[in-house]
Amino acid sequence: MKRVKLQREQLGIDLKPYVPDPRLRSEEIVVPMTKEQRQYYIDREKHLIELRTKTINEKPCYHGTLQMIDVETIQDNYGSWNHFDLPDQMEQYDLMRSIENVGLINPIYCTVDNVGNYSVIIGRVRVIAYCNLYEQKGEQYRFIPSYVIPLDEIDELQMRSMMIESNICFRKISKFNMVRALIENYEAMKQMKQYRNEKNVGMEISKLFQISEATTFNFLKIRDLCNKGLALLYDEKITLQVATYLTKVSKETQEKIIDAYGVEGLRAIHKLNLLTKKKDISMEDLAKLMAKIEKLEPYMTTISIKICQVLLDAFMKFLLEFKEKQARPQAEVRGGNFNDLFKVKFNMAHMGYYLDAGRIDKITLNKLLAVNTKKMATLK
C-alpha cells in the first residue's frame, strides 16, 4: 500500500505527546487569522461536534456504499492508530489461500476525501493480501470490494472504534499496545460532550476493548505521565513497569527523574522504586535522595536455574540446607518471614510428576515453599 499521508487538518487531532528538542532553539511567531479563516475553524468545530453526536445517536450503516477499489490507489493514512499486531508470514499466506479458494468474504472499509484519495480503516491485512495476489496472479486481484465512506461524514473517534471492534476478537494485541490504544481513545472520547465524565469514558472504553473497568482504569493511570515520559513510552524506550512507577509522583518530579537518569538509568527499578515512594516530595529532597542512592545496589535479585531430573533431589536438599542454616536465622530476627530474604519458585506441574515417581521428597518441597519459620517448623 502507498503511504501518502493526508494533512493533519483532515485527519484530526494528533494524540502522540510532543516534546521539543532542547538542542533546537525556536521562536513562535503568531500569524493572525483572517475573518474568513476564523469562521472556517468555527464552522469546522461545529460540524465535528454535530458529527460526533450523530455517530453516537444514529449508529450509521455503510453497507449501501460498496464499491470495487483499485488496490494500487488505497493508502494507509490511519495505520498509526491501529495497535493490533499484524499476522505472521504463515497467517498471511493462509489468508491469501483463502481468498484464492473462496474469494473475499468480508469487504474492507475505506474513507474517500474530496479529491478521491482512498485510505483503509478496516482490512489492512486483506489489502496487503490482495496487493500480493495482484503482483503474483495478475489483474483478477486488482480491485477489492470496499465500503466507501466520505471523509467528511465520519468522525475520528468512530474510525478508531471501528478498528478496535473489527480486530479485538481476531487479532493479537500486546499489553503495551493495549495501553497506547486505551490512552489514545480516551483522549479522543474526552472531546465529546457525551463522554466528558471520566468514569463514563472508562466504562465505554472497557466495553470497547472487552476488558474489566478496573483493568481499564489501571491502564489509564499511564495518562498521569509527563509529556517526556509519554513520548518515551510511545517510542518503546521505557517499559510499562517504569511508566507505572513514574506516575506515582508529580509530573514535575517525573521530569526531574527522567532528566537526571535518562532512559538507561530508568531501568534501575530498585532506584526508581525509592525515588517514587513519596508522592509530594520536594525538588530539594529529591535531589538529596538521588545523591544518596547513586550507588545503591538491588536489595533482592533473581537467579534462574534449570536442572536435570537426576540431579533434582540432591539440589533441593542442598537448597533446604541453605534455607535452614543461612536464611532461617536472618528470618527469625525479622519476625519469622522469608519473603524479603529467600524465595523459591517451582514448576508445580512438573513437581507433581516427580512426586508421583518418587524422585523428590514432599516434605523437602513444602519446606522450601514455606513463607515463614513457623510454617517450616510444623513440616516433618
Side-chain angles (χ1 to χ4, degrees), residues 105-322:
I105 298 173
N106 296 308
I108 66 170
Y109 283 73
C110 286
T111 61
V112 60
D113 64 16
N114 52 11
V115 292
N117 294 317
Y118 295 96
S119 190
V120 61
I121 305 173
I122 298 174
R124 296 169 70 212
V125 177
R126 280 165 276 171
V127 173
I128 293 170
Y130 255 73
C131 288
N132 289 332
L133 286 168
Y134 173 50
E135 185 178 334
Q136 296 171 17
K137 306 290 184 178
E139 288 292 321
Q140 67 190 101
Y141 295 104
R142 179 166 183 171
F143 294 91
I144 186 170
S146 172
Y147 299 117
V148 180
I149 309 168
L151 190 56
D152 59 1
E153 292 183 11
I154 189 167
D155 177 54
E156 175 178 339
L157 176 61
Q158 188 185 3
M159 283 193 273
R160 290 177 180 272
S161 300
M162 288 170 69
M163 287 178 185
I164 295 168
E165 291 283 5
S166 64
N167 280 295
I168 199 75
C169 296
F170 307 105
R171 297 263 297 282
K172 304 181 290 290
I173 185 168
S174 66
K175 185 181 288 187
F176 174 84
N177 284 335
M178 174 77 81
V179 171
R180 283 183 60 185
L182 279 170
I183 292 171
E184 291 187 4
N185 278 270
Y186 177 91
E187 295 299 334
M189 292 178 79
K190 245 192 352 182
Q191 299 186 32
M192 300 178 62
K193 289 184 177 179
Q194 291 89 343
Y195 296 114
R196 290 286 169 86
N197 182 283
E198 182 170 337
K199 184 169 178 60
N200 289 342
V201 176
M203 290 169 62
E204 288 302 318
I205 287 179
S206 67
K207 294 175 188 175
L208 189 60
F209 283 84
Q210 299 180 16
I211 57 178
S212 71
E213 288 180 29
T215 301
T216 299
F217 284 110
N218 282 335
F219 284 161
L220 286 175
K221 287 178 183 176
I222 300 300
R223 291 183 300 107
D224 295 331
L225 271 178
C226 64
N227 272 357
K228 285 184 180 179
L230 276 173
L232 291 173
L233 182 65
Y234 267 61
D235 293 335
E236 298 187 61
K237 292 180 179 177
I238 62 173
T239 63
L240 283 173
Q241 184 185 26
V242 169
T244 302
Y245 273 109
L246 287 172
T247 57
K248 294 179 180 180
V249 294
S250 69
K251 292 185 178 182
E252 183 185 9
T253 305
Q254 292 174 32
E255 291 204 5
K256 182 78 173 177
I257 294 171
I258 293 170
D259 291 342
Y261 285 94
V263 175
E264 290 298 324
L266 290 174
R267 292 172 186 161
I269 296 295
H270 64 290
K271 292 184 181 180
L272 194 59
N273 183 30
L274 288 175
L275 292 171
T276 56
K277 282 280 187 186
K278 190 176 179 182
K279 185 174 183 179
D280 55 350
I281 189 170
S282 68
M283 290 297 104
E284 183 181 354
D285 289 342
L286 180 65
K288 291 178 181 177
L289 184 57
M290 284 179 170
K292 186 177 179 179
I293 68 172
E294 186 60 36
K295 295 184 179 180
L296 182 70
E297 299 171 353
Y299 178 70
M300 295 281 284
T301 191
T302 301
I303 300 172
S304 178
I305 296 174
K306 280 189 174 183
I307 192 162
C308 177
Q309 59 181 17
V310 297
L311 300 172
L312 183 60
D313 186 54
F315 179 68
M316 288 178 68
K317 288 175 179 175
F318 171 79
L319 282 179
L320 182 57
E321 183 181 0
F322 173 83

Side-chain angles (χ1 to χ4, degrees), residues 304-367:
S304 178
I305 296 174
K306 280 189 174 183
I307 192 162
C308 177
Q309 59 181 17
V310 297
L311 300 172
L312 183 60
D313 186 54
F315 179 68
M316 288 178 68
K317 288 175 179 175
F318 171 79
L319 282 179
L320 182 57
E321 183 181 0
F322 173 83
K323 185 173 184 179
E324 288 178 330
K325 291 184 177 180
Q326 303 295 328
R328 187 170 186 166
Q330 293 285 339
E332 286 173 346
V333 174
R334 298 162 187 255
N337 289 320
F338 286 109
N339 283 343
D340 60 349
L341 281 171
F342 181 82
K343 291 182 183 179
V344 181
K345 290 185 178 181
F346 294 100
N347 184 323
M348 296 308 294
H350 289 182
M351 293 302 111
Y353 289 114
Y354 296 141
L355 286 168
D356 290 343
R359 283 194 172 275
I360 59 174
D361 178 61
K362 186 174 183 179
I363 294 176
T364 300
L365 174 63
N366 288 336
K367 282 188 173 184

